Amino acid sequence: GESVGLHLPTLSVQEGDNSIINCAYSNSASDYFIWYKQESGKGPQFIIDIRSNMDKRQGQRVTVLLNKTVKHLSLQIAATQPGDSAVYFCAEGHQTGANNLFFGTGTRLTVIP
Amino acid sequence: GAVVSQHPSRVICKSGTSVKIECRSLDFQATTMFWYRQFPKKSLMLMATSNEGSKATYEQGVEKDKFLINHASLTLSTLTVTSAHPEDSSFYICSARWHGRPGNEQFFGPGTRLTVL
């Protein structure tokens, strides 16, 4: 099966700084990637997605970068706020056909006020 | 839009009993729903894929007779943990794919915390 992993299990940043969370995936056939945010005791919340025909996608305060050559995905959060503290998961899957998503191990982001 | 609910949010039961967890898509139709299990400080592990009107597809290592899944309508899927034991204690999360909407985005429920005594 697919393997999706994260380089860092924890990340602490000062409020107002930018955060970068990294993710590596192993299935080169994956063409759809999503970042989720999960707060304690809650289900994952969609943040942003990107398809394999793109290298970069921006949302509100967040940017996802995809490097297919090295199978690497990153989530950048600008001006990190205390409310951003959570566990962040990347997930990989396919745009069509099989709907399964495979999740990475997660990174806990802690924002220091 | 795209709200998924789960019921109950938390359940405590005795060993040997069965527990049913409901997953509902409140404002959209979901042909496919997914059930995940999450241990503390761990990632989500896909247990099974549930398609409306057909049998669920289970991931390797997940016991079909232990975790019964029913997807009777386009807005409801249920997971029944049969003869629960303490090792079944976990956080169970469902997700749903919006029927007819392009892409493979999954919308997640808030999860159900199961504790088996």
Side-chain angles (χ1 to χ4, degrees), chain A residues 35-46:
Chain A
W35 280 101
Y36 286 95
K37 172 186 179 183
Q38 187 179 28
E39 298 176 341
S40 181
K42 298 183 179 179
Q45 176 186 357
F46 173 89

Side-chain angles (χ1 to χ4, degrees), chain B residues 11-17 19 21 36-40 42 47 66-67 81-92 112-117:
Chain B
V11 57
I12 300 174
C13 68
K14 293 181 178 180
S15 184
T17 61
V19 176
I21 303 170
Y36 295 85
R37 183 174 182 176
Q38 186 177 33
F39 291 105
K42 297 294 184 182
M47 298 175 66
K66 176 74 171 177
F67 300 99
V81 183
T82 62
S83 186
H85 292 285
E87 58 265 30
D88 298 323
S89 298
S90 189
F91 193 50
Y92 292 88
T112 296
R113 173 79 56 195
L114 170 63
T115 303
V116 185
L117 302 177

Side-chain angles (χ1 to χ4, degrees), chain A residues 54-113:
Chain A
M54 302 174 68
D55 297 323
K56 178 180 179 179
R57 189 163 187 228
Q58 289 184 294
Q60 187 176 11
R61 284 202 305 119
V62 295
T63 301
V64 56
L65 299 177
L66 175 62
N67 186 331
K68 294 180 289 293
T69 302
V70 295
K71 295 198 283 289
H72 184 269
L73 194 68
S74 69
L75 176 69
Q76 300 178 2
I77 304 174
T80 314
Q81 303 169 0
D84 295 327
S85 294
V87 177
Y88 290 81
F89 294 97
C90 67
E92 62 172 321
H94 301 278
Q95 296 182 44
T96 59
N99 300 323
N100 298 359
L101 290 177
F102 294 90
F103 283 77
T105 50
T107 292
R108 177 172 296 281
L109 174 66
T110 301
V111 181
I112 304 168

Side-chain angles (χ1 to χ4, degrees), chain B residues 27-85:
Chain B
D27 50 3
F28 67 100
Q29 292 184 328
T31 45
T32 305
M33 289 185 170
F34 304 86
W35 286 97
Y36 295 85
R37 183 174 182 176
Q38 186 177 33
F39 291 105
K41 300 183 180 180
K42 297 294 184 182
S43 187
L44 283 75
M45 291 180 53
L46 180 66
M47 298 175 66
T49 302
S50 168
N51 291 296
E52 185 265 337
S54 63
K55 291 183 178 181
T57 301
Y58 290 80
E59 294 298 300
Q60 190 174 8
V62 178
E63 300 176 58
K64 300 179 182 180
D65 296 331
K66 176 74 171 177
F67 300 99
L68 300 178
I69 293 173
N70 182 273
H71 192 157
S73 75
L74 286 172
T75 60
L76 173 65
S77 177
T78 60
L79 168 67
T80 301
V81 183
T82 62
S83 186
H85 292 285

